Amino acid sequence: MRIEGNDGLSGLIATEAETHVAGGFTFTEGPVWVAADGCLLFSDIPGDTIHRWRPGTAGTEVYRHPSRNSNGLTLDHAGNLLACEHSGRRVSRAPYGGPEETLVDRFEGKRLNSPNDIIVHSSGALYFTDPTYGLKGGSGKELGHQGVYRLAPDGTLTLLDDTFTQPNGLAFSPDESLLYVGDSKELIVRRFGVESDGAIDGGEVFVDMRGDGRDGLPDGMKVDEDGRLWTTGAGGVWVVEPDGRLLGVLALPRYPANLAFGGPSFSTLYLTCHADVYAVETAVRGIGPGSR
Ligand code: MG
């Protein structure tokens, strides 16, 4: 791992060498730490499988197959696994280790494109993105937009924003007053205010990767307890202060598509990088399901 920029970033990294967690997959995504079971789940999208890895063990086990090409994963407050499914074109919910059911697959009667990533608000509402990456050549597209949605606990689905080209990763600030959403096509991360009723406003460009030129896109992102944004991007993981100042970039052996804090203290950053999954020990405490 190489730390670029280094404007305060090296102080946030405990061990400046990444650990290889697992490999041999096709394209990994959707890492989520399951605190109640002390393990990491992640998707292999083309491999149509969710894998499980336990620290201290070699190799992984199949958690779910087929996964309907699942991508982003998270846990709700009851510990259910939520999965964004590309070929399923839905968000599914399942008790941990149990069978999945459809949570949402349509907006105003039309099929979703291919849900990509998802987060849970303390209210129990789910926020997710619906770009077209899982639609082969765009075939089968029923909606005229690539939306950011909110699914209320009562099942009401609201389109929050339809102005993204390809909305992807998303994260709340620690106090949930802000929502970050990446656009993988426009190479930006936008920041919204979150209103008391769950709607969003604003949406100014918060991180701008246009013109950087390096491989890597704004895709998965997470926030640490101090409010820093850790987002995949050009050249690796961009670490950005709440005021927008870029601290630096963590360059991994391959470009990460997503990342998640985990481990006993939520200080380990797990990164899904194409065929491989890596871990980086940080000096921060990240936010994730069950972290607080
Ligand atoms: Mg994604």
Side-chain angles (χ1 to χ4, degrees):
M1 180 175 67
R2 203 171 63 252
I3 298 178
E4 299 174 355
N6 204 22
D7 179 15
L9 180 54
S10 61
L12 305 180
I13 302 300
T15 307
E16 293 193 14
E18 74 280 359
T19 303
H20 187 249
V21 167
F25 308 103
T26 309
F27 191 91
T28 56
E29 247 282 7
V32 61
W33 179 255
V34 184
D37 195 27
C39 67
L40 183 79
L41 297 181
F42 59 92
S43 298
D44 181 348
I45 303 174
D48 199 17
T49 301
I50 297 173
H51 296 275
R52 175 162 51 194
W53 172 78
R54 296 181 188 282
T57 66
T60 59
E61 59 181 322
V62 172
Y63 174 84
R64 178 184 297 167
H65 175 80
S67 63
R68 285 160 300 281
N69 307 100
S70 73
N71 186 338
L73 308 174
T74 195
L75 300 166
D76 68 15
H77 300 315
N80 297 305
L81 181 67
L82 308 177
C84 294
E85 300 180 357
H86 276 190
S87 58
R89 299 180 66 172
R90 67 175 185 170
V91 176
S92 67
R93 177 177 63 190
Y96 185 64
E100 57 270 31
E101 61 178 356
T102 299
L103 201 53
V104 59
D105 62 354
R106 288 172 189 272
F107 174 69
E108 294 183 342
K110 296 189 171 77
R111 295 187 75 187
L112 296 175
N113 301 319
S114 54
N116 191 293
D117 215 342
I118 185 166
I119 54 176
V120 181
H121 189 270
S122 59
S123 67
L126 313 179
Y127 288 65
F128 68 93
T129 55
D130 187 40
T132 59
Y133 291 118
L135 297 178
K136 292 182 175 58
S139 67
K141 191 172 192 295
E142 297 184 12
L143 290 163
H145 59 259
Q146 291 78 246
V148 180
Y149 294 94
R150 176 181 188 268
L151 183 67
D154 69 0
T156 304
L157 183 65
T158 302
L159 176 63
L160 297 174
D161 189 284
D162 64 357
T163 65
F164 281 82
T165 307
Q166 293 286 20
N168 202 321
L170 64 185
F172 290 116
S173 61
D175 66 0
E176 299 181 327
S177 66
L178 301 169
L179 173 70
Y180 301 97
V181 185
D183 191 319
S184 298
K185 181 70 174 176
E186 302 299 333
L187 307 180
I188 55 175
V189 177
R190 296 169 61 186
R191 185 173 69 175
F192 297 85
V194 182
E195 300 169 16
S196 56
D197 65 356
I200 60 176
D201 56 30
E204 71 277 8
V205 175
F206 180 69
V207 182
D208 192 344
M209 301 177 190
R210 292 171 291 194
D212 184 290
R214 289 174 292 180
D215 287 342
L217 304 166
D219 193 337
M221 61 183 67
K222 297 294 182 294
V223 165
D224 67 32
E225 284 202 340
D226 298 319
R228 297 179 202 92
L229 182 68
W230 299 63
T231 177
T232 61
V237 178
W238 290 41
V239 183
V240 184
E241 290 280 14
D243 64 7
R245 186 165 51 98
L246 174 65
L247 287 177
V249 177
L250 300 177
L252 278 294
R254 294 291 301 275
Y255 297 112
N258 209 336
L259 70 181
F261 287 102
S265 58
F266 278 86
S267 294
T268 304
L269 190 61
Y270 292 102
L271 304 114
T272 50
C273 305
H274 294 253
D276 298 286
V277 179
Y278 293 95
V280 170
E281 297 304 326
T282 76
V284 305
R285 183 176 168 91
I287 295 175
S291 66
R292 53 186 184 171

